[in-house]
Amino acid sequence: MPESGHAWQKAFKGEPIEAAHVRLWTAGRMLHPDAPLLAHELYVAVLSSGAPVIEMTLSTAGERARITAQGQDPLPLLSTHGPAWRLIAGLSQSAGLTTDERGVWAQLGARP
């Protein structure tokens, strides 16, 4: 039986002030308590690349949730191996770089 879920996508300006909007937007759509902080960290990872627009995608399937932040250009190494990456890895079940290397994603499991 296929898993049902929802998906949301929104473009945010590549400006630090938008991080607060990313957290609020995420909190209004995902019930997992770590989702807003995780979305914030993913947004900031892509923001550090200088992207003028960051596309955020939230998707749910059963007990799982996936958050993706993507810019227009390939991300620098620091975006996926910098200090914030340890926090992203600690909050998620798995995380990584998108196949086109323009974004980062993280997957959350069932609520703790």
Side-chain angles (χ1 to χ4, degrees), residues 6-55:
H6 299 284
W8 301 270
Q9 194 169 36
K10 184 172 180 176
F12 291 88
K13 293 178 187 174
E15 299 174 2
I17 192 73
E18 290 291 306
H21 298 134
V22 168
R23 287 191 305 272
L24 288 171
W25 180 72
T26 303
R29 286 155 184 79
M30 293 187 152
L31 298 176
H32 196 289
D34 295 332
L37 178 57
L38 191 54
H40 169 94
E41 292 300 328
L42 294 170
Y43 174 84
V44 170
V46 176
L47 179 65
S48 70
S49 73
V53 175
I54 299 169
E55 188 79 32

